[in-house]
Amino acid sequence: MATQRPPEPPTPPPGPGGGSPEEPLSEAAVIAMHSDPRFLALKKSLFSFVFPMSLAFMAWYLLYVLMSAFGRDVMGTVLFGSVNVALVFGILQFVSTFGIAILYTGYARRKLDGPATALRDELQNGTTGKEGNR
């Protein structure tokens, strides 16, 4: 009885620089990337979205927890039928989580994806920003 080998997984198409998108950067490229002003600008842009949004969400969540612990009368207020304020707060936690994810997706598309892809492709090709601008 002959044994069959499992089929080979398809190879991903090459990226714009000739290498696959999953191809790791060389050590020199990683070092060059960390000092590249474009990379630093990308980090700053990411931080300018993530930090305030994280603070806002944590404050919103903390309000929910504190109201559940110390504002039981308010949270127990029936709005209609068997729906109370606590249930609405809880559902709004999920809504705000999905809302933040949607906002981040749009932000990343507009401000991060293009420059990050260009920088990655340049580094995968073996050039750095300083060499590529000469």
Side-chain angles (χ1 to χ4, degrees), residues 11-12 15 24 27 34 38 42 46 49 56 58 73 83 85 89-90 98 104 110 115 119 121 128:
T11 57
E27 185 177 345
H34 283 284
R38 296 169 299 167
L42 275 170
L46 176 66
F49 179 88
M58 292 306 260
D73 293 338
V83 175
V85 173
F89 260 53
F98 285 108
Y104 176 75
R110 283 189 321 276
L119 183 59
D121 290 344
T128 63

Side-chain angles (χ1 to χ4, degrees), residues 24-93:
L25 296 174
S26 69
E27 185 177 345
V30 171
I31 291 169
M33 176 183 63
H34 283 284
S35 63
D36 193 302
R38 296 169 299 167
F39 179 73
L40 298 174
L42 275 170
K43 282 178 39 177
K44 183 178 179 181
S45 184
L46 176 66
F47 185 77
S48 70
F49 179 88
V50 170
F51 185 72
M53 195 60 66
S54 296
L55 283 180
F57 182 78
M58 292 306 260
W60 163 237
Y61 181 72
L62 184 61
L63 174 68
Y64 175 65
V65 171
L66 291 175
M67 289 295 291
S68 295
F70 301 110
R72 290 180 182 245
D73 293 338
V74 173
M75 295 296 268
T77 303
V78 176
L79 299 174
F80 56 90
S82 60
V83 175
N84 62 14
V85 173
L87 180 62
V88 172
F89 260 53
I91 291 171
L92 287 176
Q93 290 290 317

